[in-house]
Amino acid sequence: MSERSIAEKQPMTDLERLRHSSAHVMATAILRLWPEAQFAAGPPVENGFYYDLQLDHRITTEDFPRIETEMKKVVAEDQLFERIPVSREQAFKLAEAGALGSLGPRNAPSKFKLDILQGIPAGEEITLYRNGDFTDLCAGPHIARTGGIGAFKLTGIASAYYKGNEKNPQLQRLYGTAFKSKAELDDYFVRLEEARKRDHRKLGRELGLFHIDEEVGAGLVLWTPKGAILRRELQGFISEELRKQGYTEVFTPHVAKLGLFRTSGHYPYYRESQFPPLIEPDSLRRLADEGCSCAALSNLLQEGEVDGFLLKPMNCPMHIKIYDSAQHSYRDLPIRLSEFGTVYRWEQSGELGGMTRVRGFTQDDGHIFCTEEQLAEELFRALDLGQRVLRALGLNDFRARLGLRDPDSAKYVGAAEQWGKAEDALRRAAEKVDLTFAEERGEAAFYGPKMDFVVKDVIGREWQLGTVQVDYNLPERFDLNYIASDNSPKRPIMIHRAPLGSLERLCGVLIEHFAGSFPVWLAPEQVRVLPISDKHLEYARKIEQLLAGAGVRTTVAASSDKIGAKIRLAQLEKVPYMLVLGAREEQAGEVAVRSRSHGDEGAVSAHEFVERVQKEIREKKID
RNA sequence: GCCGGUGUAGCUCAGUGGUAGAGCAGCGCAUUCGUAAUGCGCGGGUCGUCGGUUCAAACCCGACCACCGGCUCCA
């Protein structure tokens, strides 16, 4: 564990300390089995710990029992964790001798420890930690003795690049988790199991919300009828909010000429993350006749000597063209264009998953063209909208992240002065809407800084949903202008914003958030009418008609199942309301209400129930 | 893209070289029932794809595809 010693920010919690010590115990165990293992970094992480190591033997899950057995021995030996401050020279000497991250001197130096040592600034204290024969370069802290580790388990093996850099060697990353007691460990796995039950990939299939088909392509989502209802409701919700905020809706095509994206800078700069260009049939034939190689074609495309079309990776260039299709007076600004725009990005195969990381997705996109003076107000409104829609959907547990550029990276465009202005404008707007945010370097868009709204999925992975981005750059590239009050042309500023981000990702997150039990307004099926027997089918149809007429999505369970089975099915399908109808209800003109979450609620008049459901839908009630 | 794992019926899974199985779902028939599973019967599989080893492959080997967990990436 050494990365952390360099970047140590907050003191470790007791649990982190225990897990960090578990990483050392795991390393000790591994060295007893494979003395030649080279260790890199082994920090505690959110749900446990890991240690990165290099070893010719590929560790698999079959090795876990052996490693765990060895770890148990180390815990049983109740070794003391000893903190040893050393001089730089001593540390280097030990690393050279292979004695760091090891059980003693070896014939090969502890190369990663050596590298880490070199990164420790002069003057900073260097400490070792020793438990039993195992000595490691480590800033600590640790628990007192190995016996303090109550319960642990290895949870996975993965690969990771040394220091997270693709250019560095790949190491084996062995994950584990540890707790003070066996009960807490067991509880953790129970919770994990619960979380997996709400995984949107599982629920999406069970509830018939979406389908991803191998033959259609990885990362390309098919929205089934039920999923389409969910999506349409979300789109309707956003459309209404945007209309209130003075947006106008536009439509644009899914492909455009490559030249458009050259002007915007998306091509060839980000071509690795785009579907490859489409080439006109005539050009393609001519090039083929000339015996043009793929490599040559790629170059010709890059240099702009052959034109083609691109599946759009972003909507902004097209919205810009709409803005630029007419002359604008300062009196017209701000102009706010919105579109549910579907974009296509070539995500790496290993990154695809469910609805949260896909290759084609629809953004609730929008672009605001405004003056310098209007920027603050427009940012304020965009951030306010972003927060409000997430809260309306019950996603209260989000965090905001201000993405700043990394001054050392070349991937950003535009003048430093404009970046500074844009960053300040975002900060001020965030303060005004009372949004707490964390600033992160290297998280900006290539054209400007952005404020992202980030949520977590059931297994703790973070996903960016909404975003608000300031852009001085694209207006420049497309030479946009408006006529100012002094009759001179002036450059507008652009704001890119998508309060929900991608509808696919949002739906994935929402499925997990609600565990499939959507609030009534979002539920694909809002009410299921359950006649006790065929005798009451006619009355059931009447109630269905009543509800359908009132705009409530309703079906009738007309099967010959017993009522218990009908209820069970409706519960499993997470329909918010069930209406049980038998002779009693039919005679009284009532419906016996059963809610998904509260069970039998007794009979009310059909009319009363309709009003109740309508109210919940209208108010977007979350139960 | 990289490392590791997985891929058998619509779903969940069993099947370690000798003619593919269960439960649920589906279909048919019977049942007409009061708040989480009525009974009986029937159909359903190029065992991810392609190639190899073998007298014989779901099973062993290789490549590819997809998915899962990470890493890198994420305009």
Side-chain angles (χ1 to χ4, degrees), chain A residues 120-138:
Chain A
I120 299 178
E124 195 168 299
E125 187 186 30
I126 294 174
T127 58
L128 309 181
Y129 269 84
R130 179 184 296 154
N131 58 286
D133 294 333
F134 179 66
T135 308
D136 202 359
L137 171 66
C138 179

Side-chain angles (χ1 to χ4, degrees), chain A residues 402-413:
Chain A
L402 177 60
L404 306 174
R405 73 179 165 156
D406 175 359
D408 299 330
S409 166
K411 76 173 186 177
Y412 304 99
V413 295

Side-chain angles (χ1 to χ4, degrees), chain A residues 9-239:
Chain A
K9 289 179 196 107
Q10 292 148 340
M12 279 192 203
T13 63
D14 288 352
L15 189 58
E16 282 173 332
R17 188 187 288 234
L18 178 128
R19 287 170 170 175
H20 177 41
S21 297
S22 303
H24 278 229
V25 169
M26 181 173 76
T28 310
I30 289 169
L31 284 163
R32 288 184 179 179
L33 298 165
W34 298 281
E36 72 278 20
Q38 288 283 351
F39 287 88
V45 287
E46 187 169 2
N47 289 312
F49 61 89
Y50 68 77
Y51 216 130
D52 284 344
L53 65 136
Q54 192 175 57
L55 182 64
D56 285 339
H57 170 75
R58 291 253 162 246
I59 295 176
T60 70
T61 45
E62 283 169 25
D63 295 317
F64 284 11
R66 297 164 65 195
I67 299 169
E68 284 172 341
T69 302
E70 218 48 62
M71 286 174 72
K72 276 183 195 138
K73 286 186 203 161
V74 177
V75 170
E77 286 161 22
D78 199 22
Q79 300 170 347
L80 187 70
F81 277 105
E82 197 184 342
R83 183 175 186 275
I84 310 167
V86 290
S87 70
R88 225 180 155 75
E89 292 66 37
Q90 277 175 299
F92 269 97
K93 227 172 117 184
L94 286 164
E96 295 283 5
L100 292 185
S102 91
L103 300 177
R106 300 181 291 188
N107 47 23
S110 301
K111 54 181 172 178
F112 300 113
K113 301 294 174 186
L114 211 48
D115 184 68
I116 291 162
L117 270 174
Q118 270 151 5
I120 299 178
E124 195 168 299
E125 187 186 30
I126 294 174
T127 58
L128 309 181
Y129 269 84
R130 179 184 296 154
N131 58 286
D133 294 333
F134 179 66
T135 308
D136 202 359
L137 171 66
C138 179
H142 281 278
I143 57 175
R145 318 186 68 97
T146 58
I149 299 168
F152 64 86
K153 192 165 175 53
L154 299 186
T155 53
I157 177 88
S159 94
Y161 299 103
Y162 177 56
K163 288 187 171 172
N165 188 330
E166 225 174 339
K167 308 265 186 314
N168 286 341
Q170 273 201 330
L171 307 176
Q172 304 190 60
R173 176 168 294 179
L174 196 49
Y175 283 90
T177 192
F179 290 88
K180 277 198 215 72
S181 69
K182 178 79 166 57
E184 286 167 283
L185 180 75
D186 291 342
D187 185 53
Y188 168 73
F189 282 103
V190 169
R191 283 203 320 274
L192 202 64
E193 195 56 40
E194 287 301 313
R196 294 214 167 110
K197 281 186 197 154
R198 44 203 293 167
D199 190 308
H200 77 278
R201 291 164 294 198
K202 183 175 158 67
L203 282 172
R205 185 180 52 242
E206 286 173 359
L207 300 177
L209 296 170
F210 66 91
H211 174 63
I212 295 171
D213 191 280
E214 214 176 299
E215 201 169 354
V216 173
L220 299 169
V221 175
L222 305 175
W223 295 79
T224 54
K226 284 183 183 175
I229 290 171
L230 183 58
R231 169 166 165 171
R232 211 182 46 216
E233 287 294 340
L234 290 166
Q235 288 189 189
F237 164 55
I238 284 295
S239 293

